[in-house]
Amino acid sequence: MAFVFELNFRAPHNYIKCFIEALAKEEGVNVSVARSHNTITLVGDEKDEKLSVFLQKLGSVLPASFHMTGSSHRIISEAVPILKNIIDRPLPHAVGLCTYCMKDIFDPASRRYYYPFTMCNCCGPQYPFFEEYPFDREHTLMRFFTPCKSCEKELASSPFRRDFPLISCHVCGVPVCMRDGAKERYANDAESFKTLFEVAAKALDDKKSVKIKTMAGWRLFFDASKTKREMDKVMLLTDAAQAECYCALIKPEVYALLSIERPLIHATVADESLRKIYGETTSLKYPDEGFTILLARELIEIGHGHIAYIPCDEDTKADFTIDFDLPIDPQRELRLSINKSVYLIVEGERGIFPQKRKKRSDRIVAAYGMAAVPTQEGMLFDRMEKIGKAEASQLWVLEGEVPILHHSNTRYFSQDIASVMSVLYEHEKMHESAIGCYFGKEPTFIFHNGKKPMVAVPAMAFSPKDLGARLSSLREGSDRLVENFTKKFPRIAEKLFEREEVLDIFDAAACIMELEDESLERVEKEALKFHGKGGLQIDTKLKNNRFDPYAFIASIMSYRLAGVESPLLAYSIFESFGDYVVEIITELKSRSKADNIVLCGRTFGNPSLFSRVQKKLGVKSFLMNESLPIDRENALFGALAL
């Protein structure tokens, strides 16, 4: 009889499957592992004595992943089938370290003790070292280093590092330099690397700043108490056991933080003393690559459960600098929004790109410096400079962008329609009808009849030009609103009505509330400060069947004049938008009898808005991107369905 184990896994990469296969080989158990669309399947002989031992160990060492959504197992009364795997070249990914590599860097007997460039086929920040396809050593930065005899042996025999393009160790790897003013110290063996991170941690303990070229880019680490509270900084949790002491977290948030993808999440700071230095909310991160992991370990040793950092560049000043002589090409951080058990990828590239899809299209799609190109295996999604040459009968380019290639058959597509179609593409429902809402900065509603998508309710364009005059003529009494607001808040009025510095409605909202900077992100952070049960009704009325941004702004001005505090006002903005979205979607679906409801766009990553929509529409009544960002790059996939 055969034992069948199935793991629901929706990430585009195969690092979890790779880990299971490597562990099985190391344990000497005879199983076959295959990956289908959203499932990893393992099959073995139910009578094999090694199988139960292997499964127990797998349960204890398998890396956590927020892409895992459950598992099941069963016994079938058939001969053990051999699962067929599609032979395909691996793609470089960028995730945290697996348990196998974590053991390596913390085992004093290991050849990679405190070696920050430790990784394997199943884990690590591989993409920053990758230059072009195919993904082999000659096309990575590690081609400048010849593997030593021990690494050569691993390349031939190790289940985890067999043929691994980026293999290295202390003997054959990358030396690192620490600079302290005119002083320099180099690390190229276990002892010197450990000393380097001890010195860095001690410097931070002494309230010095430490700039490190990590494999996720340059980061400036510092004591958060030395900076202004308003400064946007990330709280790096060095001690996972302290996470729920520092911030108010639900279990899915803790799970995501500790997952091998190591995303950023936004959280409310629970510790009163930390609120004084981080603010009421902060971006939260768990160590995600070798340098940060080793620094965190040394910080724990001297009693630091957290440290602050900001992304920086090579020219940023710091008391100490840790550097190595290789250029790094990091990807954008992965940021998650988590609402109960729903994980939304708000933005980012890490762990998402590059990826392949089996459905081939005879077109090249370009957006945000990324491209989808046809290959023999299907479609490849990556940065264009990594892909090199590509051929297709059509070139599709995001509206507003300059084509990255010259093509006689160039077409353009919009972000809103392509984002909606990306959800249908991901759920394999491109030929079903749908009502979709794309909410970037203003909501646009799309109707797809199963053949062609079209804008049903467009966003009403907002212009800061003559904003005061537009608001004054909005309705009877609006002129008095503008006049009274200008008298009470002359500095805000000047910025809002005269300088034309406001670019969109969320900029305007932030300006009216006098937040630290004008942006959607700042309004979102302000909304997270509200701890009440219900908000106010912000005007989202329609004008010519469109959302009226000027009525929206006037409504916020009225509440500000009435003395409403900014956290309540910011929360009310998203709650009111949620009501508006539900109202329009419900009406359009009723009229069209569409099969599906689709939600996408950056603003749906806001917890207040998403909760409102989810509550009123029903938990399972709509579709969203699951393994793709809910905005920006998802358009690459949607354009393939146009």
Side-chain angles (χ1 to χ4, degrees):
M1 293 192 293
F3 175 87
V4 180
F5 174 76
E6 292 181 330
L7 180 66
N8 300 328
F9 183 67
R10 62 193 182 201
H13 284 281
N14 278 325
Y15 41 86
I16 295 297
K17 171 181 173 287
C18 180
F19 184 90
I20 295 172
E21 289 177 316
L23 184 66
K25 289 177 182 177
E26 186 172 70
E27 293 295 308
V29 62
N30 186 22
V31 297
S32 58
V33 186
R35 172 79 188 269
S36 60
H37 178 52
N38 280 332
T39 306
I40 299 173
T41 304
L42 179 150
V43 174
D45 187 345
E46 193 261 341
K47 295 180 180 179
D48 186 348
E49 294 180 357
K50 292 183 178 180
L51 182 62
S52 61
V53 176
F54 162 72
L55 291 172
Q56 286 181 355
K57 185 166 185 179
L58 180 65
S60 64
V61 300
L62 183 68
S65 170
F66 73 83
H67 289 292
M68 291 182 192
T69 58
S71 63
S72 62
H73 66 273
R74 62 186 187 275
I75 306 295
I76 57 176
S77 56
E78 301 174 10
V80 180
I82 303 298
L83 301 179
K84 291 184 179 181
N85 257 318
I86 298 173
I87 306 298
D88 204 356
R89 281 184 175 272
L91 296 177
H93 50 62
V95 293
L97 299 190
C98 69
T99 46
Y100 178 83
C101 289
M102 288 288 283
K103 181 181 177 182
D104 254 7
I105 63 174
F106 290 126
D107 181 0
S110 166
R111 294 189 302 111
R112 296 184 177 87
Y113 182 58
Y114 266 68
Y115 181 60
F117 300 97
T118 298
M119 60 185 101
C120 71
N121 282 313
C122 315
C123 74
Q126 301 172 8
Y127 193 87
F129 296 92
F130 168 65
E131 293 188 306
E132 61 180 356
Y133 290 94
F135 179 42
D136 54 33
R137 196 173 185 89
E138 289 305 307
H139 293 92
T140 72
L141 296 174
M142 294 306 291
R143 69 181 181 275
F144 300 112
F145 301 87
T146 302
C148 64
K149 290 184 179 180
S150 296
C151 284
E152 286 280 8
K153 184 177 179 180
E154 271 189 294
L155 286 170
S157 60
S158 168
F160 286 88
R161 297 197 178 98
R162 187 179 183 87
D163 299 325
F164 180 48
L166 303 177
I167 195 166
S168 66
C169 68
H170 286 305
V171 175
C172 59
V174 186
V176 172
C177 173
M178 172 183 274
R179 291 188 293 274
D180 170 15
K183 298 178 182 178
E184 288 188 351
R185 56 167 57 86
Y186 284 87
N188 53 16
D189 59 24
E191 183 179 355
S192 56
F193 265 111
K194 190 168 193 316
T195 300
L196 181 146
F197 286 104
E198 287 173 345
V199 170
K202 181 63 168 60
L204 290 168
D205 188 49
D206 292 338
K207 300 191 183 304
K208 304 282 188 181
S209 59
V210 179
K211 182 179 67 175
I212 303 179
K213 181 197 279 187
T214 75
M215 288 171 278
W218 283 98
R219 288 172 173 171
L220 180 68
F221 296 87
F222 52 90
D223 187 307
S225 64
K226 287 195 66 179
T227 63
K228 293 181 180 179
R229 195 187 77 175
E230 294 80 9
M231 178 183 179
D232 281 330
K233 47 189 173 281
V234 179
M235 181 193 292
L236 180 76
L237 291 168
T238 60
D239 186 355
Q242 299 296 315
E244 294 175 87
C245 300
Y246 298 148
C247 295
L249 299 170
I250 59 176
K251 287 184 178 180
E253 288 174 327
V254 176
Y255 184 79
L257 277 172
L258 304 183
S259 70
I260 193 170
E261 292 83 16
R262 297 291 199 268
L264 279 168
I265 69 166
H266 205 77
T268 300
V269 179
D271 186 290
E272 283 294 332
S273 62
L274 293 182
R275 284 190 176 191
K276 296 176 182 178
I277 57 177
Y278 283 101
E280 291 194 39
T281 65
T282 187
S283 291
L284 212 54
K285 182 82 168 177
Y286 195 60
D288 57 347
E289 54 79 52
F291 285 91
T292 311
I293 289 169
L294 293 168
L295 176 65
R297 169 56 68 91
E298 291 303 320
L299 285 167
I300 291 175
E301 292 296 320
I302 55 177
H304 288 269
H306 67 91
I307 198 71
Y309 80 83
I310 57 171
C312 66
D313 56 38
E314 189 175 359
D315 298 325
T316 301
K317 292 183 179 179
D319 298 310
F320 289 77
T321 298
I322 296 176
D323 195 1
F324 53 91
D325 193 21
L326 285 177
I328 287 296
D329 185 20
Q331 295 175 292
R332 289 169 53 242
E333 289 272 21
L334 193 69
R335 182 179 287 275
L336 284 190
S337 175
I338 303 168
N339 195 291
K340 296 181 180 178
S341 59
V342 178
Y343 297 90
L344 297 178
I345 302 171
V346 177
E347 60 184 0
E349 299 173 87
R350 292 180 60 186
I352 305 298
F353 297 100
Q355 64 169 278
K356 291 180 181 178
R357 297 275 169 152
K358 297 302 177 185
K359 292 182 179 178
R360 191 179 188 278
S361 176
D362 188 21
R363 66 178 66 172
I364 296 171
V365 181
Y368 304 108
M370 306 284 292
V373 302
T375 67
Q376 289 183 346
E377 295 87 13
M379 298 297 294
L380 172 64
F381 301 78
D382 200 354
R383 295 179 183 175
M384 193 64 209
E385 67 268 20
K386 305 284 189 181
I387 295 172
K389 293 182 179 180
E391 294 183 359
S393 63
Q394 300 173 352
L395 171 63
W396 288 63
V397 181
L398 182 67
E399 287 179 351
E401 291 197 356
V402 177
I404 56 176
L405 301 169
H406 294 290
H407 200 289
S408 59
N409 189 5
T410 299
R411 305 184 185 187
Y412 292 86
F413 63 92
S414 65
Q415 178 74 57
D416 49 9
I417 286 180
S419 285
V420 168
M421 293 305 296
S422 77
V423 179
L424 296 175
Y425 176 90
E426 192 173 358
H427 290 272
E428 298 185 337
K429 295 179 180 289
M430 293 92 74
H431 303 298
E432 296 182 18
S433 60
I435 293 296
C437 177
Y438 170 77
F439 198 166
K441 291 294 181 70
E442 296 176 27
T444 301
F445 297 88
I446 309 297
F447 171 62
H448 178 55
N449 62 8
K451 296 180 180 179
K452 183 179 180 180
M454 60 194 77
V455 176
V457 181
M460 187 174 179
F462 169 78
S463 171
K465 187 176 182 180
D466 300 324
L467 181 57
R470 288 175 181 268
L471 293 173
S472 295
S473 61
L474 187 64
R475 61 173 73 93
E476 186 179 348
S478 292
D479 55 341
R480 291 193 300 275
L481 170 66
V482 174
E483 182 181 345
N484 292 337
F485 189 88
T486 302
K487 286 180 180 178
K488 188 170 183 179
F489 304 107
R491 191 170 64 86
I492 299 176
E494 180 187 5
K495 197 172 187 180
L496 199 60
F497 303 144
E498 297 178 23
R499 298 185 191 172
E500 297 184 6
E501 296 176 0
V502 173
L503 300 178
D504 58 54
I505 58 173
F506 285 102
D507 289 355
C511 179
I512 293 167
M513 289 184 281
E514 290 189 285
L515 304 184
E516 290 88 355
D517 57 74
E518 285 83 46
S519 67
L520 166 62
E521 292 74 18
R522 183 57 62 184
V523 178
E524 287 184 322
K525 289 180 181 179
E526 195 69 15
L528 287 172
K529 297 178 183 179
F530 178 68
H531 304 298
K533 292 186 177 180
L536 306 166
Q537 184 61 52
I538 306 295
D539 194 347
T540 55
K541 75 176 188 123
L542 297 179
K543 181 178 181 181
N544 299 326
N545 290 323
R546 302 185 188 187
F547 161 73
D548 189 340
Y550 303 105
F552 169 81
I553 292 170
S555 183
I556 298 171
M557 290 168 57
S558 297
Y559 283 123
R560 183 70 205 276
L561 272 172
V564 175
E565 294 184 354
S566 58
L568 171 57
L569 194 47
Y571 174 84
S572 300
I573 288 171
F574 294 106
E575 190 176 71
S576 297
F577 264 128
D579 291 340
Y580 168 70
V581 167
V582 170
E583 178 185 348
I584 301 301
I585 280 181
T586 302
E587 182 180 349
L588 291 175
K589 192 172 190 300
S590 176
R591 288 182 182 181
S592 65
K593 309 299 181 185
D595 300 318
N596 303 288
I597 294 174
V598 169
L599 304 179
C600 55
R602 165 70 179 80
T603 311
F604 280 113
N606 177 271
S608 306
L609 171 65
F610 183 80
S611 294
R612 192 74 167 184
V613 173
Q614 187 183 50
K615 180 180 179 180
K616 292 203 166 189
L617 285 180
V619 177
K620 296 183 179 180
S621 63
F622 54 85
L623 304 173
M624 297 190 75
N625 293 117
E626 293 183 342
S627 62
L628 299 175
I630 60 175
D631 207 340
R632 280 177 55 99
E633 293 89 355
N634 66 357
L636 289 164
F637 299 81
L640 293 173
L642 295 175

